[in-house]
Amino acid sequence: FGNVVGVVGVSGWRTTFGTFGAETLIPDNRANNVGVYAFEQLESGPWIFSVGGRFDYRRLDVSPDSGLGVAAQTLSYSSVSGNAGVLYRVAPSIALVLNAGRGFRAPSAFELFANGVHEGTVAFERGNPALRNETSVNADLALRVQSGDLALEVGGFANFIQDFIYAVPVPGESDPASGFQVYDITQGDARLLGFETTLDYHPTPYLHFHGTADFVRGDNTTTGSPLPDIPPFRATYQLRVEGGRTGRVVSEPYVSLGAESHVRQTRLDPAQATFFAQAFDGAGFTPAGYTLLQVGAGFRLRAGRTPVRFDLTLRNALNQRYADFLSRIKTNAPDPGMGRALITRVSADF
């Protein structure tokens, strides 16, 4: 309509889950979701305005499971979400972007009814059928710069989440049969503050620098404690030397050298800190920072009408000992990230 462009629509999905075998972790269930939404955008000179809204309804039908202690029941969730944003072009290559909105997430069947050993996370996990919708109010502000040899984006965000769903270890409680730590799924209000930045810079046609950095601070405002399982500050950086594109058979060769650095996470949920101290039969687990070196090389091979791209990457080239803070097995196996990873990729455009 005039300068306004947008979309209105309806979306829906259905999932069914059935158990088999001797052990079950969640009951059989069927989930149906329907949403109606609208999004509109107006461009006027250096300004771009956007606004959108959505209503979702979800129904979860749960079958009885005596082994898990779950009775037949039907649960329903609904919520309104939306967003409004504005982009202002300060100059042809510079833009400021501001967004504010409201989001929601309904609890999953796993978060509601899990009651057993989860081999994949090396834990005994207990759901909570009284969980409510997560709802949030969020805002983000970003600066974008795009020129011939530079692409930069720096942004900060603030999310205030009501009834945030998370898993927390129960101090001193483990499953007698498996020996796994017991985790309870619960919820509380939360605040997430952080930033993200990305940089691509070509000082010469043959030299390319790429870097990223991100950080988030998570607080449980209900308990006044840090949220569990929040990643620490992370930065990646890579220098890449690129060849020309004029070779008849082999073109666009490159070699690269880069790294990713993770600082030590010192802000721990009290229950999580207690669990870490008891890991490895009382020896304890202490989060640590680390840097992983990465080298790579590649080229494009002209084979007939379809060029083929070959890329080779060696991750953790120095075989650094480390444990990802978000790993669920870091308290069961020392240095679970140990080892080099050689990644080869062959790709072609059709």
Side-chain angles (χ1 to χ4, degrees):
F1 300 97
N3 293 332
V4 178
V5 296
V7 60
V8 295
V10 178
S11 68
W13 53 260
R14 172 182 172 86
T15 63
T16 60
F17 177 84
T19 60
F20 62 91
E23 298 180 359
T24 60
L25 186 58
I26 62 174
D28 294 355
N29 64 83
R30 295 155 302 284
N32 295 278
N33 191 95
V34 62
V36 293
Y37 60 90
F39 174 81
E40 301 296 332
Q41 182 171 288
L42 168 66
E43 185 169 356
S44 178
W47 297 90
I48 298 178
F49 302 93
S50 61
V51 62
R54 180 182 175 110
F55 173 79
D56 279 272
Y57 174 80
R58 181 170 302 175
R59 172 176 166 146
L60 180 67
D61 296 303
V62 182
S63 299
D65 191 310
S66 58
L68 297 175
V70 176
Q73 55 194 287
T74 297
L75 303 174
S76 62
Y77 306 90
S78 62
S79 188
V80 175
S81 55
N83 191 82
V86 59
L87 180 149
Y88 175 65
R89 297 193 182 279
V90 181
S93 60
I94 303 175
L96 286 171
V97 183
L98 174 65
N99 290 285
R102 182 182 190 273
F104 103 103
R105 185 178 77 86
S108 68
F110 181 88
E111 293 166 332
L112 292 164
F113 299 110
N115 187 19
V117 171
H118 190 177
E119 302 284 357
T121 60
V122 196
F124 187 100
E125 300 189 280
R126 293 191 301 214
N128 182 353
L131 293 176
R132 301 174 296 275
N133 276 346
E134 285 184 350
T135 58
S136 67
V137 176
N138 51 79
D140 62 83
L141 177 65
L143 171 68
R144 298 175 185 171
V145 180
Q146 181 75 54
S147 64
D149 56 4
L150 174 68
L152 171 67
E153 181 166 349
V154 181
F157 61 86
N159 290 349
F160 301 89
I161 307 173
Q162 186 175 8
D163 296 323
F164 179 74
I165 300 171
Y166 62 98
V168 62
V170 180
E173 187 173 350
S174 60
D175 173 48
S178 65
F180 290 170
Q181 172 68 35
V182 174
Y183 280 76
D184 278 345
I185 297 175
T186 185
Q187 58 189 167
D189 296 342
R191 178 179 62 238
L192 300 174
L193 306 174
F195 72 87
E196 298 174 332
T197 182
T198 303
L199 170 68
D200 284 282
Y201 179 50
H202 281 271
T204 74
Y206 303 104
L207 197 61
H208 177 208
F209 177 77
H210 174 75
T212 69
D214 55 74
F215 171 77
V216 59
R217 176 189 172 104
D219 291 290
N220 187 327
T221 56
T222 297
T223 63
S225 304
L227 282 173
D229 298 323
I230 297 296
F233 173 81
R234 174 184 62 176
T236 68
Y237 29 94
Q238 182 188 74
L239 186 64
R240 178 164 151 161
V241 180
E242 302 171 337
R245 302 184 179 184
T246 58
R248 285 188 172 184
V249 179
V250 177
S251 64
E252 302 179 37
Y254 74 88
V255 293
S256 65
L257 177 65
E260 60 179 86
S261 297
H262 303 248
V263 305
R264 177 187 173 189
Q265 179 59 279
T266 59
R267 304 187 72 251
L268 303 177
D269 169 83
Q272 192 176 44
T274 300
F275 171 56
F276 286 171
Q278 297 171 345
F280 299 116
D281 297 323
F285 165 78
T286 301
Y290 58 90
T291 295
L292 306 180
L293 184 69
Q294 182 170 289
V295 296
F299 60 90
R300 185 181 294 274
L301 178 65
R302 297 183 180 274
R305 296 182 178 181
T306 304
V308 179
R309 180 92 215 172
F310 294 86
D311 296 281
L312 183 68
T313 303
L314 179 62
R315 188 172 183 270
N316 193 13
L318 300 181
N319 205 24
Q320 171 70 36
R321 300 170 64 93
Y322 75 99
D324 189 327
F325 184 74
L326 297 186
S327 169
R328 290 294 291 269
I329 65 170
K330 62 183 179 293
T331 52
N332 298 87
D335 304 312
M338 189 72 175
R340 302 177 180 90
L342 182 62
I343 304 165
T344 59
R345 185 177 66 177
V346 180
S347 56
D349 296 329
F350 296 94

